[in-house]
Amino acid sequence: MQFFMKCCGKNNPIGVDLEHIRLSFETDGRKEIQSYVVNIATSIERLQYGKYLIQLKEDSRDAPYLVYPDKSIWNERTKYYWQIKAQTEQGVVTS
């Protein structure tokens, strides 16, 4: 399964409005998603080792999948990384 991830409607934006952050993703449609978790961290290493700034769990089957994280977690001039862990009938798939 391949994920197509966007932040505020853009691929890898350089800057976004901290008041209105929206994370979204779609898949290639090969597997149906039953639920998913969005993990957000301040480095790729922190994502790899499970040291998330925030973890959001959703039970949605409606694509495109949208997530609106609480604006209190964001800091100006900070780079963030995020990943998707999706539950399908075949198991867990990670972006």
Side-chain angles (χ1 to χ4, degrees):
M1 173 186 297
Q2 186 174 4
F3 293 94
F4 304 98
M5 301 165 56
K6 293 184 177 185
C7 178
C8 298
K10 298 179 181 179
N11 293 320
N12 298 318
I14 293 174
V16 296
D17 179 3
L18 295 178
E19 294 291 318
H20 303 97
I21 292 186
R22 180 185 76 241
L23 305 176
S24 64
F25 71 95
E26 294 185 72
T27 68
D28 56 15
R30 286 192 254 162
K31 296 179 184 173
E32 183 178 321
I33 293 178
Q34 298 171 339
S35 64
Y36 61 91
V37 175
V38 176
N39 299 315
I40 303 170
T42 53
S43 71
I44 292 173
E45 293 78 17
R46 293 184 75 78
L47 276 179
Q48 291 171 338
Y49 294 112
K51 300 195 181 284
Y52 311 126
L53 179 63
I54 191 168
Q55 187 175 56
L56 304 166
K57 297 178 182 180
E58 299 286 336
D59 291 323
S60 176
R61 296 178 185 208
D62 300 324
Y65 304 95
L66 299 173
V67 180
Y68 299 92
D70 188 306
K71 64 183 178 182
S72 68
I73 69 165
W74 309 113
N75 292 312
E76 290 184 15
R77 295 179 169 71
T78 303
K79 197 172 198 177
Y80 293 93
Y81 299 85
W82 60 296
Q83 71 179 180
I84 307 296
K85 288 190 177 183
Q87 179 68 47
T88 68
E89 288 181 9
Q90 292 80 24
V92 176
V93 180
T94 303
S95 64

